Amino acid sequence: MNTDLLRTFLEVAKTRHFGHAAENLYLTQSAVSSRIKQLEDTMGVKVFTRQRNNILLTPAGERLISHAENLLAIWQLAVQEVGAPKQQNLQLSIGGTSNLWDTFLQSVLPKLAFEFPNLYMRTEINQSQHLIRSLLGGRLDIAVVFDAPTNIDLESRKIGHLELIMVCNVASIQLSDVPRIGHVFVDWGTAFNLQQARLFTEPVAPVLHTAQSHIALEFVLSHQGAAYLPRALVQPHLEQGHLYQVEEAFEMQQDVHMVYAKDADKTMPLGPTIRFIEELDIKPEPPLP
């Protein structure tokens, strides 16, 4: 199987548009169409269908997505591991959501590199559900997420927490004022998001919905609105008077979990790496000046 065919298929499946997929892949639209036809001829089934100028996945196309993702990830991992320098004989693939890389995980990689000099690391940024799928598919060794999955094939350990507070760029703002100035909804996991949804007596459409804390922070600083952000991230701005804590808004600690395949902590070489991360006193760090 030509991996370029699978990459093209996944891009069309994501964009649902041959032209947009061609732009993203730096190809002509006819080249994209040709690759999809070649894939369909190879598979012996149609993977897309057109309805009212809309491109839809067929049932076969839906089933192909997870297989295509697995095949591409395994091939990429094989290329990386085979091409790794000889002195780097340990491999670790670790994934997390963008929010966790921004505020929590950035300090882990240097500590791992120092503790395990022969470690070759690969990182992934994705949504929690995709990270769990990658774990189950063997494409990741460790995923760091907010909501620990309840899957008998996976194990999870709490490795830290984030202290989240609601802030805005205007002084003396109360929770009841937030619908007026704008609610910036930051995705901090399902459990926390349910509590965010209950903040107001009536439903409030967010002025911005994002999964990246730095996007929310920049929006609140330069425009307006109120958002739940890690205290470590906003503390310098609070001290300088650029941000203010919203009155009456609850503070919350959001747990962070490390997830890995069942019994992976008993294997070599993954076990020592898992135990090392478990024993780290990981704390969110303030932004660099």
Side-chain angles (χ1 to χ4, degrees):
M1 172 63 69
N2 187 338
T3 57
D4 288 338
L5 303 185
L6 296 178
R7 290 191 183 92
T8 305
F9 163 72
L10 289 175
E11 192 63 35
V12 175
K14 182 176 71 174
T15 60
R16 301 301 172 95
H17 195 282
F18 276 66
H20 294 163
E23 291 175 4
N24 294 343
L25 294 169
Y26 301 99
L27 297 171
T28 63
Q29 188 167 334
S30 61
V32 169
S33 299
S34 176
R35 286 185 178 184
I36 295 301
K37 184 178 185 306
Q38 186 178 346
L39 176 66
E40 290 177 331
D41 290 344
T42 302
M43 301 294 295
V45 294
K46 292 288 185 182
V47 294
F48 293 111
T49 182
R50 294 178 183 268
Q51 292 184 5
R52 297 181 181 178
N53 298 321
N54 189 22
I55 296 176
L56 302 176
L57 283 161
T58 64
E62 293 280 2
R63 293 192 295 271
L64 179 59
I65 285 182
S66 61
H67 295 293
E69 291 175 341
N70 281 333
L71 285 169
L72 285 176
I74 291 171
W75 174 248
Q76 181 182 12
L77 184 60
V79 171
Q80 290 175 341
E81 291 186 355
V82 170
K86 291 182 179 179
Q87 64 270 25
Q88 291 178 301
N89 52 20
L90 304 177
Q91 287 89 34
L92 174 70
S93 55
I94 180 169
T97 63
S98 58
N99 266 344
L100 281 170
W101 281 114
D102 280 350
T103 58
F104 191 83
L105 283 173
Q106 70 269 34
S107 65
V108 174
L109 299 184
K111 294 174 182 176
L112 283 169
F114 182 80
E115 180 70 16
F116 303 98
N118 296 332
L119 184 64
Y120 171 77
M121 292 182 286
R122 181 176 64 88
T123 65
E124 179 177 332
I125 301 175
N126 218 323
Q127 297 175 340
S128 295
Q129 60 268 33
H130 294 297
L131 295 174
I132 299 306
R133 280 169 53 186
S134 294
L135 269 180
L136 293 171
R139 304 191 301 273
L140 275 183
D141 297 316
I142 295 172
V144 181
V145 297
F146 290 116
D147 301 306
T150 55
N151 187 302
I152 60 173
D153 295 320
L154 299 174
E155 296 185 24
S156 64
R157 296 287 185 274
K158 177 184 171 183
I159 57 173
H161 67 269
L162 293 176
E163 184 180 356
L164 301 174
I165 61 174
M166 180 173 270
V167 296
C168 65
N169 65 351
V170 182
S172 303
I173 290 294
Q174 297 184 342
L175 184 61
S176 57
D177 298 319
V178 171
R180 174 176 57 82
I181 67 171
H183 181 209
V184 177
F185 190 103
V186 186
D187 185 356
W188 292 112
T190 302
F192 187 83
N193 291 345
L194 289 174
Q195 297 196 48
Q196 283 200 83
R198 300 190 189 105
L199 282 174
F200 313 106
T201 55
E202 296 182 359
V204 175
V207 64
L208 172 66
H209 189 296
T210 180
Q212 294 183 302
S213 55
H214 281 82
I215 290 178
L217 174 61
E218 182 60 32
F219 185 88
V220 172
L221 282 170
S222 60
H223 184 56
Q224 64 178 19
Y228 268 104
L229 293 168
R231 182 182 291 277
L233 181 66
V234 301
Q235 190 62 42
H237 300 288
L238 292 171
E239 295 171 355
Q240 296 165 12
H242 299 152
L243 291 178
Y244 305 88
Q245 194 165 349
V246 175
E247 300 173 10
E248 301 177 348
F250 64 85
E251 301 180 13
M252 185 169 178
Q253 288 188 348
Q254 177 67 8
D255 291 341
V256 179
H257 303 270
M258 174 175 60
V259 186
Y260 47 87
K262 189 176 181 62
D263 295 328
D265 55 335
K266 301 179 179 64
T267 66
M268 290 293 292
L270 191 55
T273 307
I274 290 175
R275 289 191 291 274
F276 177 77
I277 296 176
E278 284 181 325
E279 294 168 2
L280 282 177
D281 184 19
I282 307 174
K283 292 183 174 65
E285 297 183 352
L288 295 174

